[in-house]
Amino acid sequence: LKYVTIPDSVVEIAWGAFCGCTSLTSVIIPDSVMKIGWSVFKGCTSLTTIIVPSSVTKIGRGAFKGCPKLTVFCSEGSAAWEYCLEKDVPCAEAAPDSAPRQNAVSQPAKSPDKKRLPDSAPRQNAVSQPAKSPDKKRLPDSAPLQNAVSQPPESPVSQAFEYELTPDGKGMILTGYNGTGGEVVIQAAYNGVPVKEIGRYVFRNCAGLVSIVLPEGMTGIGESAFEGCTGLRAVTLPGSVTEIGWSAFEGCTGLTTIIFPGSVTKIGWWAFKDCTGLTSVTLPASVKTIGDSAFGGCPNLTIRCPEGSAAWNYCEKNGIPHAAK
């Protein structure tokens, strides 16, 4: 996919819609579009031109992240213009004459309420999570589940999680964090209901978070769960985790070392990107899939892994220093 012209019936581009489309070079957005979701064009490394009309009033986080060649063409003073100035994305007022309009490939409208990654995104590296509901429940670290379900606390709680039950009702997905950080220990279960996943964005940009202990029984860490937690120094991964979502620890500059248990099979795109303090990572033979730039921007890193493993081959291919485990 190199060119996209979005039809004028589309009002919203859902999050991650074109994420990881590395061959995409140009996109034209019609005046009908009002919202561009989170990470829509993230990782489109060949994208050079995108035309954003003044009708667009909302642009989600990381919409143009990881697009080193991109210039956004939009009206001065528009929401897109202000977004580009704030995020330091190159922008210009007039669309170039070379923008492809006639031979563009049309893109069907995305459903606004779609809650999963589209086919073009690296969905195998993301941890799924149900849509957040308006009646989201809050769970203080020390509170029993029954109290949190029956009556969410009205007063401020120093360290509290928001959560949802898994579709089968037998597990819990953490969907939000209302604390200030420090040393956080997540319990394995609350009133008998086990914690199964850390959902998307739960601790994102929580600079005060110093350490996190994840419980046994947890299987997944969602997209951008700890992204931007610059104060995070230590992470304890349980032996039950199988998947690290994309951008899960991106930008955690204080993280220096991490040991993966033998249960992990997938590490998502950008999972540890720009963890500049990271010096040592131990990857087991169980890891079969590692996403693009999972360890990009980690200049001091050496990865320890079994010789001939998927991790070893990944390091060889990407020029990452490595040593036999």
Side-chain angles (χ1 to χ4, degrees):
L1 182 64
K2 291 186 176 181
Y3 309 112
V4 172
T5 297
I6 298 172
D8 58 12
S9 56
V10 173
V11 297
E12 180 178 351
I13 305 176
W15 67 270
F18 298 98
C19 180
C21 291
T22 55
S23 296
L24 188 62
T25 61
S26 182
V27 179
I28 299 174
I29 299 176
D31 292 340
S32 58
V33 174
M34 296 181 289
K35 182 179 179 181
I36 298 174
W38 287 30
S39 304
V40 166
F41 299 100
K42 184 176 182 180
C44 294
T45 53
S46 299
L47 189 60
T48 59
T49 302
I50 186 166
I51 302 173
V52 181
S54 297
S55 61
V56 174
T57 57
K58 293 182 179 180
I59 302 178
R61 292 180 182 176
F64 307 114
K65 189 173 184 178
C67 302
K69 303 176 182 178
L70 177 64
T71 297
V72 175
F73 293 89
C74 53
S75 300
E76 185 173 0
S78 65
W81 183 273
E82 296 300 325
Y83 178 92
C84 290
L85 292 181
E86 180 184 352
K87 304 298 182 182
D88 199 25
V89 177
C91 59
E93 284 193 80
D97 294 335
S98 59
R101 295 178 181 270
Q102 302 300 324
N103 298 321
V105 179
S106 61
Q107 172 72 14
K110 299 289 184 181
S111 171
D113 60 352
K114 185 172 286 187
K115 298 299 180 183
R116 61 180 179 87
L117 291 177
D119 291 339
S120 59
R123 89 177 51 172
Q124 72 272 20
N125 293 327
V127 179
S128 60
Q129 177 189 351
K132 292 185 178 181
S133 57
D135 58 347
K136 191 185 302 173
K137 302 174 180 63
R138 296 177 182 269
L139 180 63
D141 287 346
S142 59
L145 179 62
Q146 60 187 14
N147 292 340
V149 171
S150 61
Q151 182 62 45
E154 298 296 334
S155 58
V157 180
S158 60
Q159 288 193 351
F161 294 102
E162 297 172 353
Y163 71 95
E164 293 175 349
L165 296 180
T166 55
D168 61 8
K170 297 180 180 180
M172 182 186 300
I173 301 170
L174 301 185
T175 59
Y177 175 66
N178 304 302
T180 56
E183 299 178 353
V184 175
V185 178
I186 299 175
Q187 297 179 28
Y190 293 91
N191 199 31
V193 180
V195 177
K196 291 297 185 181
E197 295 179 13
I198 299 286
R200 302 183 185 107
Y201 321 122
V202 172
F203 291 93
R204 190 177 188 183
N205 294 327
C206 181
L209 184 64
V210 174
S211 67
I212 183 79
V213 176
L214 305 178
E216 289 293 336
M218 178 177 289
T219 58
I221 300 175
E223 172 195 343
S224 298
F226 297 94
E227 182 180 356
C229 293
T230 55
L232 184 61
R233 299 288 186 270
V235 176
T236 301
L237 296 178
S240 53
V241 167
T242 61
E243 191 169 343
I244 310 294
W246 50 300
S247 293
F249 294 93
E250 182 177 349
C252 292
T253 54
L255 193 61
T256 59
T257 185
I258 188 166
I259 298 176
F260 289 80
S263 56
V264 175
T265 59
K266 296 178 182 179
I267 300 174
W269 291 29
W270 314 293
F272 294 90
K273 187 176 185 295
D274 295 331
C275 291
T276 53
L278 197 59
T279 59
S280 176
V281 165
T282 302
L283 296 179
S286 62
V287 175
K288 303 300 182 184
T289 303
I290 303 177
D292 289 352
S293 296
F295 298 98
C298 301
N300 304 311
L301 175 63
T302 296
I303 292 180
R304 300 187 180 279
C305 54
E307 188 171 356
S309 64
W312 183 276
N313 294 333
Y314 177 88
C315 292
E316 292 275 311
K317 178 181 177 181
N318 292 278
I320 298 174
H322 53 290
K325 180 179 176 182

